[in-house]
Every structure is written in structure tokens, then in C-alpha cells.
Amino acid sequence: MHGAPLPPDAPDPRDWLLYRGYGALLAASGVVTALVSYQVSELSAMPARFLPVEALSAGTGVPLVLTRAGQDIPPVLAGIDAFLPAATAQDWPMRVIEVPDGQHSFDILNPGPQSEAAVLAARDAVLELLATT
């Protein structure tokens, strides 16, 4: 799922080369992907039901790979901090990719070895979770 918020006139993230590249990276490993697309211009406009921690009780334990950018915006980091212990308590199949120096959208804004390593680690985590669940 792409990050939020996006400007109202932003192109659909499913058309972004970044996400098409992720899809191609996974397809090369035999994985079919889909990207959830939503338009939110401000974090405050996101509905309460969007909170991932609340979705845990309604979910089916679908494997999840979460990338945590250590320098992300405070509301995102707070959401991750609430989500991780709740998911762990429910034995949710999950891998967390830590990018300590990453900001929100680090994979777009800060290309380099740390970003590349995080993307490849996320790919490997997806493949591992799919093989074990």
C-alpha cells in the first residue's frame, strides 16, 4: 500500500514506475502482486476505520511485510508503534524491515544502498512468508 497523503491531482500510484518496478521485482520471483490505491490529501482526512491496528481483529492472518522508516512522520510512527505489539500478540505472520535513517518515501527520495537493501529485504521477506504460510 502506498503512503499518504497525496495531492488531489497526483497520478494514480498504480501507474508510478516505483510500484511497477516492485511488481516486476516480485514477478521475477514468481509472485503476483496488487497495489491498493486510495486518495487522501491529508492524514486527518483518513477515516478511523483505516487504522491498521483495528483491522487485526477482523483479518485472516494474511502475511504482512512492514517497512518502518525511522525518520517517518510522527503519526505514521505512532501507528506502527501501536500496530506491532498488537500484531505480535496475535501471532500475525509478519516481518518488519527497519530503515533507521529513512524518511517517509525513502525509496523514492533517498535512492542508495540503504534503500536498495530495504527493498531487497522486503522482497525476500515476502517470499519467505509466502513459502511458510
Side-chain angles (χ1 to χ4, degrees):
M1 181 176 296
H2 68 81
L6 295 176
D9 59 344
D12 188 320
R14 293 173 292 190
D15 295 329
W16 296 2
L17 290 177
L18 172 79
Y19 292 118
R20 289 179 177 252
Y22 288 164
L25 180 67
L26 288 166
S29 299
V31 176
V32 176
T33 64
L35 175 67
V36 175
S37 182
Y38 58 95
Q39 291 292 325
V40 176
S41 58
E42 295 181 29
L43 285 175
S44 62
M46 295 178 76
R49 64 179 165 67
F50 185 80
L51 295 175
V53 71
E54 294 177 1
L56 287 171
S57 61
T60 59
V62 173
L64 173 68
V65 176
L66 186 147
T67 303
R68 179 172 33 197
Q71 304 304 313
D72 210 326
I73 56 179
V76 171
L77 291 173
I80 292 170
D81 289 344
F83 179 83
L84 290 176
T88 300
Q90 293 187 28
D91 293 322
W92 202 273
M94 177 177 60
R95 300 294 181 272
V96 178
I97 309 302
E98 299 283 356
V99 187
D101 299 324
Q103 63 179 324
H104 194 83
S105 301
F106 70 88
D107 47 351
I108 299 170
L109 300 174
N110 303 111
Q114 180 178 247
S115 294
E116 183 178 331
V119 169
L120 295 176
R123 181 221 33 215
D124 293 346
V126 166
L127 297 175
E128 176 191 339
L129 284 166
L130 290 173
T132 60
T133 54

